[in-house]
Amino acid sequence: MAPGFLSRTCPVELLLEIFKQLPSTQDALSFALTCRHINDVWDRNATSILLALWRRNGEFPAVEEALIAARMTKVVVEAEQADCLPPTDMRPGDFSINHGGAPTVSELKAARALYHLARALSVAFCHHNAYLHERRVFKDGSQTSGPPERTPEKPSRMPEWSARVHKAIYRTMIAGAALAGIYNEPLFKAKTHSDARIRRLARVKEQGEEPDDLFYGDGALALEEFFAFLHDFPSNYLGPSRHGW
């Protein structure tokens, strides 16, 4: 190869393929620092390069689910910060790369933060007694005061176990974001309700009132009225299924 080919005239497509075939994120970062031309290619294509790397080498398990969780969580957080009801019709598929578009750098950073959280939880699952200072004695006479000595799977299967745990954690976050608007809808509707007793429901969350105070004393809300209010919300409908199930 002629001297200076990579740093001067190498086609962008070839550099992208080199980036995507590198073993790790650190290797990609190091390669990006070799010269200005390669660094420019990195700056313009960093997210697509990282996604390709993580999908191939397993360095970031379930990266697609993590990205969906990050995007949906952002929508919920922004709605709550604006004192608005989060969307009640969010569909996870709409936030995927295929439908939501390529991620921005900030979205990828948010997804990476969820990865570190999932990784910490995975360690906690492996060492569920790590935070128990007292010694525990079991029926068979065995004792423990720290993490178990064995992992939940054989060493050869731990990468698979870890990837599945990460995916489960991200999907739990996705479900939480998708349901945030649905489960908070009664509290937002209560704020503008014509019945002052119903409006107190919102203050339980916002001002820390005791929930039991709603149902006792003068002007208390009858349980039947409370259930009648909740009846109109799918997440709190307590009667027989409307679909005949």
Side-chain angles (χ1 to χ4, degrees):
M1 183 176 292
F5 173 71
L6 287 179
S7 61
R8 296 176 186 174
T9 59
C10 181
V12 171
E13 294 79 8
L14 180 56
L15 287 175
L16 289 176
E17 282 304 311
I18 294 174
F19 267 115
K20 294 174 183 179
Q21 297 303 318
L22 294 173
S24 68
T25 302
Q26 187 57 52
D27 291 313
L29 293 173
S30 298
F31 185 53
L33 296 175
T34 54
C35 70
R36 182 174 298 176
H37 176 51
I38 295 176
N39 189 255
D40 287 342
V41 173
W42 167 262
D43 286 341
R44 293 194 300 269
N45 301 277
T47 56
S48 63
I49 292 171
L50 288 173
L51 281 174
L53 275 176
W54 292 337
R55 285 168 170 164
R56 183 178 58 79
N57 64 17
E59 189 176 335
F60 189 158
V63 60
E64 287 87 355
E65 281 84 354
L67 180 60
I68 293 173
R71 286 174 165 175
M72 294 181 69
T73 300
K74 183 175 183 288
V75 172
V76 173
V77 169
E78 289 178 347
E80 292 187 346
Q81 288 176 340
D83 197 28
C84 298
L85 178 67
T88 58
D89 58 350
M90 285 200 294
R91 300 176 182 273
D94 294 339
F95 294 84
S96 67
I97 295 173
N98 291 336
H99 292 87
T104 63
V105 173
S106 61
E107 288 175 337
L108 217 54
K109 286 181 177 179
R112 190 69 175 177
L114 295 184
Y115 161 78
H116 289 298
L117 173 61
R119 187 176 179 183
L121 290 173
S122 298
V123 173
F125 294 155
C126 287
H127 307 296
H128 55 277
N129 293 321
Y131 304 106
L132 297 178
H133 299 291
E134 72 278 5
R135 183 175 296 277
R136 302 178 66 186
V137 180
F138 298 99
K139 291 182 178 180
D140 62 1
S142 61
Q143 300 181 12
T144 181
S145 59
E149 295 181 358
R150 292 184 297 178
T151 57
E153 291 285 352
K154 295 179 180 179
S156 61
R157 295 196 61 188
M158 280 304 295
E160 177 187 357
W161 178 89
S162 178
R164 292 190 175 192
V165 169
H166 278 236
K167 181 177 288 190
I169 291 171
Y170 302 143
R171 288 185 174 182
T172 300
M173 294 177 180
I174 291 170
L179 295 173
I182 295 173
Y183 279 101
N184 279 286
E185 189 176 14
L187 294 175
F188 277 85
K189 296 293 185 181
K191 293 180 181 180
T192 57
H193 199 276
S194 58
D195 191 329
R197 297 172 302 169
I198 296 294
R199 291 198 296 272
R200 289 185 63 192
L201 290 172
R203 295 200 296 272
V204 169
K205 177 182 179 182
E206 295 176 351
Q207 301 178 15
E209 290 190 19
E210 289 295 329
D212 289 347
D213 293 343
L214 295 172
F215 307 106
Y216 299 97
D218 296 334
L221 182 66
L223 284 176
E224 291 79 6
E225 295 172 307
F226 175 64
F227 290 139
F229 169 70
L230 294 181
H231 183 278
D232 293 331
F233 303 98
S235 61
N236 297 282
Y237 180 66
L238 303 178
S241 170
R242 298 173 180 178
H243 304 285
W245 298 338

